[in-house]
Amino acid sequence: MAIEKTFSIIKPNAMKKNAIGDIISMFEANGLKIAAAKLTILSKAKAEEFYAEHKARPFFGELVSFMTSGPVLLMCLAGENAVAKNREIMGATDPKKANVGTIRAKFGDNMGENAVHGSDSPTSAERELSLFFEKSEICNL
Ligand code: GDP
């Protein structure tokens, strides 16, 4: 099977918990590799562009404010079936509903502050990766 790429963010609440190492270990233990990484603080404009599909939702302002509240780790994950595999490792959006052992069950606090983002389809992955990485910044592993 071809190697697929997906986009991942370790969100500010998980960064505050010093959980980068634990989260990346979970990706690696499940066969995903880090093909690009960038530690940064998102601007309001970039966070709004990234979450544009949620603009009309009542939680949009809260979401943008949370995502710009501290450092985040932006990553490209690569591996077989990377998009679906990452979603499985992450767990459900609401940490209370996430399966035991998933990232969101371990490090999520609530529906908004749910530790990680992961693209929900190969099309989203392509759009999201291109928002944050130049093609030349992503390694072909
Ligand atoms: P995901 O693909 O599992 O991240 O979920 P969605 O695409 O539905 O939502 C995107 C992000 O918006 C989630 O990861 C949450 O951080 C945030 N979000 C979704 N629903 C809510 C909500 O009801 N309240 C708040 N504050 N944030 C939410």
Side-chain angles (χ1 to χ4, degrees):
M1 193 179 165
I3 295 297
E4 192 173 64
K5 293 192 171 91
T6 190
F7 180 62
S8 166
I9 306 180
I10 299 184
K11 297 186 179 183
N13 66 315
M15 296 290 287
K16 283 200 190 98
K17 294 177 187 182
N18 245 2
I20 289 178
D22 286 340
I23 291 172
I24 288 182
S25 291
M26 290 169 76
F27 293 143
E28 291 181 334
N30 284 280
L32 295 177
K33 289 179 184 291
I34 313 299
K38 216 174 259 187
L39 201 156
T40 188
I41 297 178
L42 296 180
S43 66
K44 185 165 181 272
K46 203 72 174 177
E48 285 178 349
E49 185 182 6
F50 175 64
Y51 279 122
E53 68 174 298
H54 297 302
K55 209 173 171 71
R57 310 281 282 276
F59 58 82
F60 184 70
E62 197 181 315
L63 176 58
V64 169
S65 153
F66 164 59
M67 289 301 290
T68 56
S69 67
V72 291
L73 184 65
L74 312 172
M75 285 173 286
C76 172
L77 306 179
E80 279 185 15
N81 212 12
V83 172
K85 194 178 276 183
N86 180 38
R87 297 286 297 188
E88 215 178 289
I89 301 165
M90 287 164 57
T93 309
D94 182 350
K96 288 196 291 289
K97 295 183 184 148
N99 288 338
V100 174
T102 59
I103 297 172
R104 282 169 162 170
K106 283 187 177 174
F107 300 109
D109 293 301
N110 52 55
M111 188 78 169
E113 304 194 5
N114 56 5
V116 279
H117 165 84
S119 310
D120 62 7
S121 69
T123 309
S124 301
E126 203 166 313
R127 179 188 87 88
E128 294 172 358
L129 284 168
S130 73
L131 272 178
F132 296 102
F133 293 103
E134 300 294 333
K135 277 216 155 55
S136 61
E137 292 177 310
I138 299 177
C139 300
N140 283 312
L141 303 168

